[in-house]
Amino acid sequence: MLNKYLCEVVYSEKLAEDIVALTVVNKQLAEKAVAGQFLHIKCGHSRILRRPISICSIRASAIEIVFEIKGEGTRWLSRRKHGSFLDVLGPLGNGYDMPEGKAIVVGGGLGVPPMLFAADSARNDVAAILGFRSHDRVILHKEFEAVCEKVIVTTEDGSYGKKGTAIEPLRALLASGEYSCVMACGAPLMLRAVAQICKELGAPLQVSLEERMGCGVGACLVCACATKIDGEDEMSRVCMDGPVFSADVVNWDNI
């Protein structure tokens, strides 16, 4: 049975160009959600398709989401003010299976926000590697510092933090032997590179896949992705079978 809620908007903030943080309140929804799940939000009465947005953080009954303005739907969402209400389905999908040991979370671009919830939900110390294109795209650095023992920020142009991508810092942290697993979210090319390093160094990896979605509940198959389950090739639904998968089951050649 799908859970549908009216959530009151209590806070809105522009984090970077076309990137907005929105905080809504709903006690029942907040109590159900786990790191890695997403909300499916109705963006205006004239738009049939909802927008899937990962949960960034939860504090008591307050749920924060962070999204990029990409079209009319998310532009409508970015204009919601304090006291307005959103029609929300969720929490949807499968979240991260929280490990017992020390973990590394890796986020790239708009894959960074859901990793904050993952880091805050971890059972042990967490190191975060956050990758961005440039200084003007860096978000949530201080928020990660508040919940992680170590935070490494990289930018492709070197304008903030370390120059480069998240890959080399990840290799160094795993080689230290301190961390037992990795959780990641970001663009497919980044996730594929993370998966290669984790396989090379023997570290279990869970990835949250970013795919376009239609219904969000497994009916339309728009978000199908190639996986191998129990040795058999399958098309898994990111919205229901994921969005979090063990990297071992993802067919990276087709991602």
Side-chain angles (χ1 to χ4, degrees):
M1 179 178 177
L2 292 176
N3 295 307
K4 183 177 177 181
Y5 301 95
L6 278 181
C7 299
E8 183 180 5
V9 175
V10 296
Y11 184 72
S12 177
E13 180 185 5
K14 182 179 179 180
L15 300 184
E17 186 65 30
D18 290 335
I19 299 178
V20 175
L22 204 65
T23 302
V24 301
V25 172
N26 186 287
K27 185 174 184 292
Q28 287 180 293
L29 178 55
E31 289 177 344
K32 291 176 181 292
V34 298
Q37 291 185 303
F38 66 95
L39 306 181
H40 217 34
I41 303 172
K42 186 173 178 59
C43 295
H45 297 296
S46 63
R47 297 175 184 89
I48 297 174
L49 294 180
R50 295 170 179 265
R51 272 43 174 194
I53 301 176
S54 297
I55 299 170
C56 175
S57 68
I58 291 182
R59 291 287 184 272
S61 59
I63 305 159
E64 184 181 34
I65 57 173
V66 174
F67 59 94
E68 183 176 14
I69 301 172
K70 290 186 175 181
E72 287 307 310
T74 45
R75 190 171 304 281
W76 178 92
L77 186 61
S78 73
R79 293 171 177 162
R80 297 312 94 196
K81 303 299 182 184
H82 183 283
S84 59
F85 286 84
L86 298 178
D87 181 327
V88 178
L89 289 179
L92 299 178
N94 295 307
Y96 291 98
D97 183 11
M98 287 298 152
E100 296 293 340
K102 294 175 68 172
I104 301 170
V105 297
V106 182
L110 265 294
V112 166
M115 301 320 300
L116 180 61
F117 192 10
D120 198 25
S121 302
R123 298 170 181 165
N124 213 320
D125 290 337
V126 175
I129 306 173
L130 315 176
F132 303 95
R133 291 201 306 268
S134 55
H135 188 182
D136 62 334
R137 306 299 290 176
V138 175
I139 58 174
L140 303 173
H141 187 179
K142 291 182 179 179
E143 288 80 357
F144 274 91
E145 288 185 327
V147 299
C148 296
E149 66 164 1
K150 182 194 299 285
V151 180
I152 300 170
V153 177
T154 69
T155 50
E156 293 175 17
D157 64 0
S159 56
Y160 189 90
K162 295 180 178 293
K163 184 176 182 178
T165 68
I167 302 309
E168 288 310 311
L170 174 62
R171 184 183 297 277
L173 287 182
L174 286 177
S176 73
E178 292 184 52
Y179 301 94
S180 59
C181 61
V182 180
M183 296 176 280
C185 182
L189 285 177
M190 186 204 83
L191 292 181
R192 183 174 181 173
V194 169
Q196 289 174 338
I197 289 177
C198 289
K199 184 176 181 179
E200 175 187 333
L201 298 179
L205 168 65
Q206 298 175 67
V207 296
S208 178
L209 300 182
E210 297 178 338
E211 292 286 346
R212 295 182 67 88
M213 292 184 187
C215 68
V217 295
C220 70
L221 303 181
V222 168
C223 63
C225 69
T227 56
K228 186 177 286 290
I229 309 294
D230 296 327
E232 298 293 330
D233 290 330
E234 293 189 11
M235 295 301 293
S236 296
R237 299 161 298 178
V238 170
C239 65
M240 285 197 69
D241 303 314
V244 177
F245 294 88
S246 168
D248 292 339
V249 308
V250 178
N251 186 339
W252 293 107
D253 291 335
N254 290 325
I255 294 293

